[in-house]
């Protein structure tokens, strides 16, 4: 991999961690059960995306 590609993957990993943490934080504040479940699913999706990119390394 080139240096530029590695920098891209680092950025993606950082963004996915950020999105995951924000989704978890937001889900903890939501009272509506359906909306809370949806946001928790989004957090799980970002976790899977993170793992996929991490697996590339």
């Amino acid at each position: 991999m080139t240096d530029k590609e590695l920098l891209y993957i680092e950025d993606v990993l950082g963004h996915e961690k950020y999105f995951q943490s924000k989704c978890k934080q937001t889900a903890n504040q939501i009272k509506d059960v359906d909306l809370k479940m949806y946001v928790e699913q989004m957090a799980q999706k970002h976790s899977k995306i993170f793992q996929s990119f991490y697996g590339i390394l």
Side-chain angles (χ1 to χ4, degrees), residues 1 4 6 10 14-15 17 19-20 26-27 29-30 32-34 37 39-40 45 47 49 53-54:
M1 279 189 183
K4 189 171 186 175
L6 288 174
E10 281 182 24
H15 290 138
K17 273 292 190 189
F19 293 144
Q20 180 184 3
T26 301
Q29 298 173 357
I30 295 175
D32 182 270
V33 176
D34 291 332
M37 284 178 31
V39 175
E40 288 172 344
K45 183 176 182 177
S47 177
I49 293 170
F53 274 105
Y54 192 77

Side-chain angles (χ1 to χ4, degrees), residues 34-45:
D34 291 332
L35 183 57
K36 182 176 185 137
M37 284 178 31
Y38 179 76
V39 175
E40 288 172 344
Q41 288 172 354
M42 288 175 47
Q44 291 173 355
K45 183 176 182 177

Side-chain angles (χ1 to χ4, degrees), residues 6-29:
L6 288 174
L7 287 173
Y8 173 75
I9 292 174
E10 281 182 24
D11 284 346
V12 170
L13 289 174
H15 290 138
E16 290 304 323
K17 273 292 190 189
Y18 174 78
F19 293 144
Q20 180 184 3
S21 69
K22 284 299 176 183
C23 287
K24 286 181 179 181
Q25 181 182 21
T26 301
N28 288 332
Q29 298 173 357

